[in-house]
Amino acid sequence: MLDLTSVDLLEAFTQELKLCKLKPDEHVVVLSEPTSRGDYVAAAFGAAKACGAHVIAATVPGGNPSPSDSTRTGAGPGLSAVLGDTAAQDLLKAADLVVDLTREGFIHAPLQQEIMRTGTRILFVCDAPDVLIRNLPKPEDKAEVLKGVNLLKSASVMRVTSEAGTDLTVELPGSKPEFQVGFADDPGRWDHWPSTMVLCWPRFSEGRIVLSEGDILLPFKEYVRQPVTLEIAGGNIEKVSGGAEAHLLNTFFDDADDAWGRSLSHMGWGLMRTADWFATALYGKEELMGMDARAFAGNFLWSTGPHPVLERESYAHVDIAMRGCTVSVDDQDVVTAGRLVDF
């Protein structure tokens, strides 16, 4: 872990906001809650000023009205203080760029889409300082993720296999391919620093997913210790078997009592070459959102719960990051045994 100063943070946030194409005289809102990192608020504020922008730091009360305490996934509808306050919403809609430093943001909230439709760019930041700096994105990252998005848009089938026994077939038409690149540079864009990944929202998938020792369950931020087998039919998890982590997942799905908790959501692969697979083990759980695992170069990332293409609202959102898989798109490998392929 790096020994960082406020100057390092200011420099990193300034580089990041320049990647977001922040222009002089644009308006920035630095959104935080009482538990947000004060050094991030100061760095984001200072960086916006360094770019010549107008900036407001807005602190709203914390608290996410999760529909069920048992989910605890960070997938709730967003901060109550903003969901119920039209003045706060109007402030965000009037901004050119929102730097969201809250704990859970509005990733799964319809309100976020409403804000972005006004042209507001949103950058979500929620990881440890050295994780941000180590994974500071580069301008050329966008061309790479867009290449993956365009491949998915023109393809019919994605297949995921592994030596452990994974064999999953995914239908791609209508799957709304997307990306995260770590900066929000287009009007109405949300992105997450750090992150570099390609993903889609398939309507249908079939087969088997086998989690190996060392794969990562998020948001639990736990490594798999014993293999877990998940049987997939019609895009739903029909059976979970294996050791302790299989029991954990089954218990989570049962406790969540969510109609879509066992349904597959987004899936894709990571391209963040600076990511550290072991970061999840080296930090306290409150320090990370886990983007090193989610965006790790050559991973296969898949999830359960919410699905905008199928209009499923769900808060039983689990992300699972796997290593060692081969991911092919219409028989063209994009990842081979956990290694990125240049296509």
Side-chain angles (χ1 to χ4, degrees):
M1 300 182 188
L2 301 175
D3 185 13
L4 300 172
T5 68
S6 57
V7 174
D8 296 314
L9 273 180
L10 176 60
E11 181 180 348
F13 270 84
T14 302
Q15 291 182 55
E16 177 67 23
L17 296 194
K18 287 180 178 178
L19 286 170
C20 293
K21 295 183 179 177
L22 182 63
K23 301 180 182 68
D25 292 327
E26 283 196 309
H27 291 81
V28 177
V29 172
V30 179
L31 181 67
S32 65
E33 55 186 320
T35 56
S36 298
R37 292 186 61 121
D39 52 352
Y40 283 15
V41 174
F45 191 98
K49 292 294 290 180
C51 292
H54 305 283
V55 58
I56 295 172
T59 303
V60 298
N64 187 329
S66 176
S68 171
D69 288 341
S70 65
T71 59
R72 295 191 181 93
T73 67
L79 289 170
S80 300
V82 176
L83 291 172
D85 187 342
T86 56
Q89 295 170 23
D90 289 344
L91 176 65
L92 301 182
K93 291 175 182 177
D96 297 292
L97 176 67
V98 173
V99 182
D100 185 353
L101 304 178
T102 64
R103 182 176 177 80
E104 296 172 355
F106 300 92
I107 299 173
H108 300 284
L111 174 61
Q112 179 165 283
Q113 300 301 317
E114 183 181 328
I115 292 169
M116 293 190 301
R117 279 195 290 271
T118 68
T120 298
R121 318 193 293 281
I122 302 176
L123 179 70
F124 183 60
V125 186
C126 187
D127 265 288
D130 46 324
V131 172
L132 300 181
I133 291 175
R134 171 166 47 79
N135 294 313
L136 191 69
K138 303 180 293 296
E140 56 267 29
D141 293 342
K142 189 172 182 179
E144 186 174 24
V145 294
L146 286 175
K147 189 176 179 182
V149 167
N150 290 332
L151 179 65
L152 290 176
K153 284 181 177 179
S154 62
S156 298
V157 176
M158 178 166 66
R159 190 176 177 207
V160 185
T161 59
S162 73
E163 287 190 2
T166 293
D167 193 347
L168 183 71
T169 300
V170 180
E171 294 187 4
L172 293 174
S175 63
K176 194 185 176 187
E178 298 180 3
F179 67 91
Q180 292 179 18
V181 72
F183 51 88
D185 59 337
D186 295 319
R189 169 112 190 123
W190 176 95
D191 218 301
H192 189 162
W193 174 30
S195 184
T196 317
M197 67 171 73
V198 175
L199 64 146
C200 62
W201 306 84
R203 296 172 179 270
F204 183 85
S205 52
E206 193 90 18
R208 177 185 301 108
I209 298 174
V210 180
L211 308 182
S212 297
E213 294 93 335
D215 289 342
I216 301 177
L217 307 178
L218 299 156
F220 311 115
K221 301 169 189 170
E222 294 284 349
Y223 291 85
V224 173
R225 292 166 292 174
Q226 298 173 298
V228 177
T229 300
L230 303 102
E231 302 292 344
I232 312 298
N236 298 305
I237 300 170
E238 298 295 323
K239 183 180 179 182
V240 183
S241 58
E245 286 72 39
H247 179 70
L248 171 67
L249 288 171
N250 275 319
T251 302
F252 169 79
F253 292 138
D254 290 343
D255 285 357
D257 192 26
D258 188 302
W260 308 115
R262 293 178 183 263
S263 297
L264 299 196
S265 181
H266 65 76
M267 60 181 69
W269 65 93
L271 296 107
M272 197 159 73
R273 293 172 176 82
T274 52
D276 182 354
W277 189 259
F278 300 101
T280 305
L282 298 176
Y283 295 82
K285 292 190 178 185
E286 297 301 314
E287 296 181 88
L288 297 178
M289 192 166 185
M291 296 312 297
D292 275 295
R294 286 180 169 91
F296 185 85
N299 77 358
F300 173 59
L301 179 74
W302 62 277
S303 67
T304 71
H307 198 303
V309 172
L310 297 176
E311 298 183 343
R312 294 194 320 232
E313 292 188 12
S314 170
Y315 300 112
H317 188 56
V318 176
D319 282 339
I320 298 181
M322 301 170 61
R323 292 184 71 173
C325 294
T326 294
V327 181
S328 62
V329 178
D330 278 358
D331 298 322
Q332 179 175 0
D333 285 1
V334 294
V335 177
T336 300
R339 301 284 183 179
L340 286 175
V341 175
D342 188 16
F343 58 90

Short mmCIF file of all heavy atoms in Angstrom, two decimals, residues 5-44:
data_model
loop_
_atom_site.label_atom_id
_atom_site.label_comp_id
_atom_site.label_asym_id
_atom_site.label_seq_id
_atom_site.Cartn_x
_atom_site.Cartn_y
_atom_site.Cartn_z
N THR A 5 -0.24 11.33 0.24
CA THR A 5 -0.51 12.61 0.87
C THR A 5 -1.70 13.27 0.20
O THR A 5 -2.19 12.82 -0.84
CB THR A 5 0.71 13.55 0.76
OG1 THR A 5 0.88 13.91 -0.63
CG2 THR A 5 1.98 12.86 1.26
N SER A 6 -2.14 14.38 0.77
CA SER A 6 -3.24 15.13 0.16
C SER A 6 -2.87 15.65 -1.22
O SER A 6 -3.72 15.79 -2.10
CB SER A 6 -3.65 16.29 1.08
OG SER A 6 -2.54 17.14 1.33
N VAL A 7 -1.58 15.92 -1.42
CA VAL A 7 -1.11 16.38 -2.72
C VAL A 7 -1.28 15.28 -3.77
O VAL A 7 -1.69 15.53 -4.91
CB VAL A 7 0.35 16.84 -2.64
CG1 VAL A 7 0.89 17.19 -4.03
CG2 VAL A 7 0.49 18.03 -1.71
N ASP A 8 -0.96 14.03 -3.38
CA ASP A 8 -1.13 12.90 -4.29
C ASP A 8 -2.61 12.74 -4.70
O ASP A 8 -2.92 12.51 -5.87
CB ASP A 8 -0.65 11.60 -3.64
CG ASP A 8 0.82 11.61 -3.33
OD1 ASP A 8 1.61 12.01 -4.20
OD2 ASP A 8 1.20 11.21 -2.20
N LEU A 9 -3.49 12.85 -3.72
CA LEU A 9 -4.91 12.72 -4.01
C LEU A 9 -5.40 13.85 -4.92
O LEU A 9 -6.16 13.61 -5.87
CB LEU A 9 -5.73 12.73 -2.72
CG LEU A 9 -5.93 11.40 -2.01
CD1 LEU A 9 -6.77 11.60 -0.76
CD2 LEU A 9 -6.62 10.39 -2.92
N LEU A 10 -4.97 15.07 -4.63
CA LEU A 10 -5.38 16.20 -5.47
C LEU A 10 -4.91 16.00 -6.91
O LEU A 10 -5.67 16.23 -7.86
CB LEU A 10 -4.81 17.51 -4.91
CG LEU A 10 -5.09 18.77 -5.73
CD1 LEU A 10 -6.58 19.00 -5.89
CD2 LEU A 10 -4.40 19.97 -5.10
N GLU A 11 -3.69 15.55 -7.07
CA GLU A 11 -3.16 15.32 -8.42
C GLU A 11 -3.95 14.23 -9.13
O GLU A 11 -4.29 14.36 -10.32
CB GLU A 11 -1.68 14.93 -8.34
CG GLU A 11 -1.04 14.70 -9.71
CD GLU A 11 0.42 14.32 -9.60
OE1 GLU A 11 1.00 14.46 -8.51
OE2 GLU A 11 0.99 13.89 -10.62
N ALA A 12 -4.26 13.13 -8.42
CA ALA A 12 -5.01 12.03 -9.03
C ALA A 12 -6.41 12.47 -9.42
O ALA A 12 -6.90 12.16 -10.52
CB ALA A 12 -5.06 10.84 -8.08
N PHE A 13 -7.11 13.17 -8.53
CA PHE A 13 -8.46 13.63 -8.85
C PHE A 13 -8.43 14.64 -10.00
O PHE A 13 -9.35 14.65 -10.84
CB PHE A 13 -9.12 14.25 -7.62
CG PHE A 13 -9.90 13.27 -6.78
CD1 PHE A 13 -9.27 12.48 -5.83
CD2 PHE A 13 -11.27 13.11 -6.95
CE1 PHE A 13 -9.97 11.56 -5.06
CE2 PHE A 13 -11.99 12.21 -6.19
CZ PHE A 13 -11.34 11.42 -5.25
N THR A 14 -7.39 15.46 -10.07
CA THR A 14 -7.29 16.42 -11.18
C THR A 14 -7.12 15.69 -12.50
O THR A 14 -7.77 16.01 -13.50
CB THR A 14 -6.12 17.39 -10.94
OG1 THR A 14 -6.32 18.08 -9.70
CG2 THR A 14 -6.04 18.42 -12.06
N GLN A 15 -6.25 14.67 -12.53
CA GLN A 15 -6.09 13.87 -13.75
C GLN A 15 -7.41 13.20 -14.12
O GLN A 15 -7.78 13.14 -15.30
CB GLN A 15 -5.01 12.81 -13.54
CG GLN A 15 -3.60 13.36 -13.42
CD GLN A 15 -2.59 12.23 -13.28
OE1 GLN A 15 -2.52 11.32 -14.09
NE2 GLN A 15 -1.80 12.29 -12.22
N GLU A 16 -8.11 12.70 -13.11
CA GLU A 16 -9.37 12.00 -13.37
C GLU A 16 -10.42 12.95 -13.96
O GLU A 16 -11.11 12.61 -14.92
CB GLU A 16 -9.88 11.38 -12.07
CG GLU A 16 -11.22 10.70 -12.17
CD GLU A 16 -11.21 9.45 -13.04
OE1 GLU A 16 -10.13 8.86 -13.22
OE2 GLU A 16 -12.29 9.08 -13.54
N LEU A 17 -10.55 14.14 -13.40
CA LEU A 17 -11.55 15.07 -13.90
C LEU A 17 -11.20 15.58 -15.30
O LEU A 17 -12.09 15.87 -16.11
CB LEU A 17 -11.72 16.24 -12.94
CG LEU A 17 -12.28 15.90 -11.54
CD1 LEU A 17 -12.72 17.16 -10.81
CD2 LEU A 17 -13.42 14.90 -11.62
N LYS A 18 -9.91 15.64 -15.61
CA LYS A 18 -9.51 15.99 -16.98
C LYS A 18 -9.91 14.87 -17.94
O LYS A 18 -10.32 15.13 -19.08
CB LYS A 18 -8.01 16.25 -17.04
CG LYS A 18 -7.60 17.57 -16.39
CD LYS A 18 -6.10 17.80 -16.46
CE LYS A 18 -5.72 19.14 -15.84
NZ LYS A 18 -4.25 19.36 -15.87
N LEU A 19 -9.81 13.60 -17.50
CA LEU A 19 -10.28 12.49 -18.32
C LEU A 19 -11.80 12.58 -18.54
O LEU A 19 -12.31 12.13 -19.57
CB LEU A 19 -9.93 11.15 -17.67
CG LEU A 19 -8.47 10.73 -17.74
CD1 LEU A 19 -8.22 9.52 -16.83
CD2 LEU A 19 -8.07 10.40 -19.17
N CYS A 20 -12.49 13.14 -17.56
CA CYS A 20 -13.94 13.36 -17.69
C CYS A 20 -14.27 14.57 -18.56
O CYS A 20 -15.43 14.95 -18.68
CB CYS A 20 -14.58 13.54 -16.31
SG CYS A 20 -14.54 12.06 -15.27
N LYS A 21 -13.23 15.16 -19.15
CA LYS A 21 -13.35 16.32 -20.05
C LYS A 21 -14.03 17.49 -19.37
O LYS A 21 -14.86 18.20 -19.96
CB LYS A 21 -14.09 15.93 -21.33
CG LYS A 21 -13.33 14.92 -22.19
CD LYS A 21 -14.05 14.62 -23.49
CE LYS A 21 -13.25 13.63 -24.33
NZ LYS A 21 -13.96 13.26 -25.59
N LEU A 22 -13.68 17.68 -18.09
CA LEU A 22 -14.22 18.84 -17.37
C LEU A 22 -13.63 20.11 -17.96
O LEU A 22 -12.41 20.25 -18.06
CB LEU A 22 -13.90 18.73 -15.88
CG LEU A 22 -14.45 19.85 -15.01
CD1 LEU A 22 -15.97 19.88 -15.05
CD2 LEU A 22 -13.96 19.70 -13.57
N LYS A 23 -14.49 21.03 -18.33
CA LYS A 23 -14.08 22.27 -18.98
C LYS A 23 -14.22 23.45 -18.01
O LYS A 23 -15.05 23.43 -17.09
CB LYS A 23 -14.93 22.53 -20.22
CG LYS A 23 -14.88 21.44 -21.28
CD LYS A 23 -15.76 21.81 -22.46
CE LYS A 23 -15.77 20.71 -23.51
NZ LYS A 23 -16.47 19.50 -23.02
N PRO A 24 -13.43 24.51 -18.24
CA PRO A 24 -13.61 25.73 -17.45
C PRO A 24 -15.04 26.23 -17.55
O PRO A 24 -15.66 26.16 -18.63
CB PRO A 24 -12.62 26.70 -18.11
CG PRO A 24 -11.57 25.83 -18.73
CD PRO A 24 -12.30 24.61 -19.19
N ASP A 25 -15.55 26.70 -16.45
CA ASP A 25 -16.90 27.26 -16.33
C ASP A 25 -18.01 26.21 -16.34
O ASP A 25 -19.19 26.57 -16.27
CB ASP A 25 -17.18 28.32 -17.41
CG ASP A 25 -16.33 29.57 -17.20
OD1 ASP A 25 -16.06 29.90 -16.03
OD2 ASP A 25 -15.94 30.19 -18.20
N GLU A 26 -17.68 24.90 -16.45
CA GLU A 26 -18.71 23.89 -16.21
C GLU A 26 -19.00 23.85 -14.71
O GLU A 26 -18.23 24.34 -13.88
CB GLU A 26 -18.25 22.52 -16.70
CG GLU A 26 -18.35 22.35 -18.21
CD GLU A 26 -18.28 20.90 -18.65
OE1 GLU A 26 -17.34 20.19 -18.21
OE2 GLU A 26 -19.15 20.48 -19.42
N HIS A 27 -20.13 23.23 -14.36
CA HIS A 27 -20.57 23.19 -12.97
C HIS A 27 -20.43 21.77 -12.42
O HIS A 27 -20.93 20.82 -13.03
CB HIS A 27 -22.03 23.67 -12.85
CG HIS A 27 -22.19 25.13 -13.13
ND1 HIS A 27 -22.26 25.64 -14.42
CD2 HIS A 27 -22.27 26.20 -12.29
CE1 HIS A 27 -22.39 26.95 -14.35
NE2 HIS A 27 -22.40 27.32 -13.08
N VAL A 28 -19.76 21.68 -11.29
CA VAL A 28 -19.50 20.39 -10.64
C VAL A 28 -20.18 20.38 -9.28
O VAL A 28 -20.10 21.36 -8.53
CB VAL A 28 -17.99 20.15 -10.46
CG1 VAL A 28 -17.73 18.83 -9.72
CG2 VAL A 28 -17.29 20.15 -11.81
N VAL A 29 -20.84 19.25 -8.96
CA VAL A 29 -21.34 19.02 -7.61
C VAL A 29 -20.57 17.84 -7.03
O VAL A 29 -20.56 16.75 -7.62
CB VAL A 29 -22.85 18.71 -7.59
CG1 VAL A 29 -23.29 18.28 -6.19
CG2 VAL A 29 -23.64 19.93 -8.04
N VAL A 30 -19.91 18.06 -5.92
CA VAL A 30 -19.24 16.98 -5.19
C VAL A 30 -20.24 16.49 -4.14
O VAL A 30 -20.51 17.17 -3.16
CB VAL A 30 -17.94 17.46 -4.53
CG1 VAL A 30 -17.28 16.31 -3.76
CG2 VAL A 30 -16.98 18.02 -5.58
N LEU A 31 -20.81 15.31 -4.38
CA LEU A 31 -21.88 14.80 -3.53
C LEU A 31 -21.31 13.85 -2.49
O LEU A 31 -20.60 12.89 -2.82
CB LEU A 31 -22.92 14.06 -4.38
CG LEU A 31 -24.12 13.48 -3.63
CD1 LEU A 31 -24.99 14.60 -3.06
CD2 LEU A 31 -24.94 12.58 -4.55
N SER A 32 -21.62 14.08 -1.23
CA SER A 32 -21.12 13.23 -0.16
C SER A 32 -22.20 13.05 0.90
O SER A 32 -23.24 13.73 0.89
CB SER A 32 -19.86 13.83 0.48
OG SER A 32 -20.16 15.06 1.11
N GLU A 33 -21.94 12.12 1.81
CA GLU A 33 -22.76 11.93 3.00
C GLU A 33 -21.82 12.00 4.20
O GLU A 33 -20.59 12.04 4.03
CB GLU A 33 -23.49 10.59 2.93
CG GLU A 33 -22.59 9.38 2.72
CD GLU A 33 -23.39 8.10 2.51
OE1 GLU A 33 -24.40 7.91 3.18
OE2 GLU A 33 -22.97 7.29 1.65
N PRO A 34 -22.33 12.07 5.42
CA PRO A 34 -21.44 12.28 6.57
C PRO A 34 -20.33 11.24 6.71
O PRO A 34 -19.27 11.56 7.27
CB PRO A 34 -22.41 12.23 7.77
CG PRO A 34 -23.70 12.73 7.20
CD PRO A 34 -23.76 12.17 5.81
N THR A 35 -20.54 10.02 6.23
CA THR A 35 -19.50 9.00 6.36
C THR A 35 -18.54 8.97 5.17
O THR A 35 -17.62 8.15 5.15
CB THR A 35 -20.15 7.61 6.50
OG1 THR A 35 -21.01 7.37 5.37
CG2 THR A 35 -20.95 7.51 7.79
N SER A 36 -18.72 9.84 4.19
CA SER A 36 -17.80 9.89 3.05
C SER A 36 -16.42 10.36 3.51
O SER A 36 -16.28 11.06 4.52
CB SER A 36 -18.32 10.85 1.97
OG SER A 36 -19.56 10.42 1.46
N ARG A 37 -15.40 10.00 2.77
CA ARG A 37 -14.04 10.40 3.12
C ARG A 37 -13.87 11.90 2.90
O ARG A 37 -14.04 12.41 1.78
CB ARG A 37 -13.04 9.64 2.25
CG ARG A 37 -12.97 8.14 2.52
CD ARG A 37 -11.84 7.53 1.71
NE ARG A 37 -10.55 8.09 2.05
CZ ARG A 37 -9.52 7.40 2.50
NH1 ARG A 37 -9.60 6.09 2.66
NH2 ARG A 37 -8.38 8.00 2.77
N GLY A 38 -13.47 12.59 3.97
CA GLY A 38 -13.27 14.03 3.87
C GLY A 38 -12.14 14.39 2.93
O GLY A 38 -12.18 15.43 2.25
N ASP A 39 -11.08 13.53 2.87
CA ASP A 39 -9.97 13.85 1.97
C ASP A 39 -10.38 13.72 0.51
O ASP A 39 -9.87 14.44 -0.36
CB ASP A 39 -8.75 12.98 2.27
CG ASP A 39 -9.05 11.49 2.31
OD1 ASP A 39 -10.24 11.10 2.26
OD2 ASP A 39 -8.08 10.69 2.42
N TYR A 40 -11.36 12.84 0.21
CA TYR A 40 -11.86 12.75 -1.16
C TYR A 40 -12.69 13.97 -1.52
O TYR A 40 -12.61 14.48 -2.64
CB TYR A 40 -12.73 11.49 -1.33
CG TYR A 40 -11.96 10.20 -1.45
CD1 TYR A 40 -10.61 10.11 -1.10
CD2 TYR A 40 -12.57 9.05 -1.91
CE1 TYR A 40 -9.91 8.92 -1.22
CE2 TYR A 40 -11.88 7.85 -2.04
CZ TYR A 40 -10.56 7.79 -1.68
OH TYR A 40 -9.87 6.61 -1.79
N VAL A 41 -13.50 14.44 -0.57
CA VAL A 41 -14.29 15.65 -0.82
C VAL A 41 -13.36 16.82 -1.12
O VAL A 41 -13.56 17.56 -2.10
CB VAL A 41 -15.19 15.97 0.39
CG1 VAL A 41 -15.91 17.31 0.19
CG2 VAL A 41 -16.21 14.86 0.62
N ALA A 42 -12.31 16.97 -0.31
CA ALA A 42 -11.36 18.07 -0.51
C ALA A 42 -10.63 17.93 -1.84
O ALA A 42 -10.43 18.92 -2.57
CB ALA A 42 -10.37 18.12 0.65
N ALA A 43 -10.22 16.71 -2.18
CA ALA A 43 -9.47 16.50 -3.41
C ALA A 43 -10.35 16.74 -4.63
O ALA A 43 -9.91 17.36 -5.61
CB ALA A 43 -8.91 15.08 -3.44
N ALA A 44 -11.59 16.26 -4.59
CA ALA A 44 -12.49 16.47 -5.72
C ALA A 44 -12.81 17.96 -5.88
O ALA A 44 -12.85 18.49 -7.01
CB ALA A 44 -13.78 15.67 -5.52
#
